[in-house]
Amino acid sequence: MNWDDLRVFLALVESGSLSAAARDLGLSQPTVGRRVQALEHALDERLFDRLPRGYVPTTAARALLPMAQAMARAAEAVDRRRAVSDTLEGSVRISAGAAMSRFLCNRVALLLDGLPGLDLEIAASFQFTNLSRREADIAIRNRMPERGDLMARKVTEPAVAVYASRDYVARNKVTLSLGDPPGLAWSRWDWVDYDEARQHLSTAQWLAPRLGGAKARVACSTPAEKLDAIRGGGGLGLLSCYSADTEADLQRLTDPVDELRGETWMVVHQDLRDVPRIRTIADRVVALIHDNAALFAGRRRG
């Protein structure tokens, strides 16, 4: 048996399709198919029913699953051991949302000051990274993780408000208050919001009833696109204060929205929390956020 085939087996169980498993593993679909067939041949068991809705685990697969998961956890633990070092040298990978990634990139010199042997990777992502698999060393998330051998601490509660470009405000003589009733007071302006795939997000859910059934004129798929579209004159939109208040071309139109004040958590795997380079960068990220507490709370402009 090729033990690495169990990794492919787990990915297919989790995703239910060859294409998704291939994407997660960085392999081609034919390769995933061949690896699963090889595992079935080695075990002399059929592991999946190939149905129109996807690959459905058989009874044999469900019996194999806990053993494969135990092996995967052991392999991940061994891989995490490779990160352990007593020096401030090597690489640290941070995974965060687009706005937080931008905040950190704009202050990267402070994160790396006095650490000549350390490299930093900052990856913006909507998806939660798997710290057990070392997809990142530090994750900055908008909610506390529900499970896993993870250490989490809340680092801030970022404020959100309505913004528009200064040019758009001047041309359209925009006035808006959180006390204005939904409907005409809100829908008379152009709006920038998330696309249909992201209407479940809290800002989109909060805005929809205030527009009285009207749709945003500009729809975006990421926070970075949304900020750029608002700054480019597309209309009004909801943005994190710590991101938007530093933009000279943007004007805040409302006070922070209490219902949209979120949470930001820093998460590291408990096996890596005391690795010097990871602990040092984590402490510096926390210090940066605390030093800019007024900006995150929406109390400071620029």
Side-chain angles (χ1 to χ4, degrees), residues 134-167:
R134 288 211 65 214
E135 293 176 359
D137 299 304
I138 300 168
I140 303 176
R141 301 174 170 175
N142 61 5
R143 64 178 183 265
M144 186 177 181
E146 297 177 356
R147 60 183 184 273
D149 298 328
L150 307 174
M151 305 298 295
R153 61 182 294 189
K154 185 163 66 173
V155 292
T156 188
E157 295 181 346
V160 174
V162 177
Y163 294 82
S165 72
R166 296 187 183 279
D167 179 66

Side-chain angles (χ1 to χ4, degrees), residues 264-280:
T264 300
W265 294 80
M266 170 174 287
V267 189
V268 298
H269 197 281
Q270 66 177 15
D271 289 352
L272 302 179
R273 60 178 174 169
D274 292 325
V275 174
R277 70 179 187 278
I278 296 174
R279 186 179 65 245
T280 297

Side-chain angles (χ1 to χ4, degrees), residues 172-235:
N172 294 278
K173 298 181 174 56
V174 178
T175 58
L176 188 69
S177 168
L178 294 179
D180 292 338
L184 182 61
W186 290 72
S187 62
R188 64 185 297 188
W189 316 115
D190 297 318
W191 284 84
V192 179
D193 195 16
Y194 287 115
D195 58 20
E196 287 296 327
R198 289 163 180 79
Q199 283 298 302
H200 63 283
L201 297 176
S202 59
T203 52
Q205 293 284 308
W206 184 88
L207 180 61
R210 285 161 178 79
L211 297 187
K215 288 191 174 182
R217 188 174 188 186
V218 181
C220 303
S221 61
T222 70
E225 291 171 354
K226 188 178 174 185
L227 187 149
D228 287 341
I230 295 169
R231 186 171 54 191

Side-chain angles (χ1 to χ4, degrees), residues 45-96:
E45 301 251 36
R46 191 178 81 258
L47 297 176
F48 294 94
D49 290 323
R50 283 74 165 171
L51 302 178
R53 67 177 185 272
Y55 277 59
V56 178
T58 63
T59 301
R62 290 192 293 272
L64 176 64
L65 184 58
M67 293 178 281
Q69 290 171 329
M71 292 183 64
R73 287 192 294 270
E76 290 163 1
V78 171
D79 188 54
R80 288 193 299 274
R81 288 296 304 167
R82 295 193 304 157
V84 175
S85 169
D86 292 332
T87 69
L88 286 173
E89 296 181 347
S91 178
V92 175
R93 178 181 172 89
I94 301 174
S95 175

Side-chain angles (χ1 to χ4, degrees), residues 32-52:
V32 171
R34 285 195 299 270
R35 300 280 284 274
V36 171
Q37 289 177 353
L39 183 60
E40 289 179 323
H41 179 74
L43 297 173
D44 195 24
E45 301 251 36
R46 191 178 81 258
L47 297 176
F48 294 94
D49 290 323
R50 283 74 165 171
L51 302 178

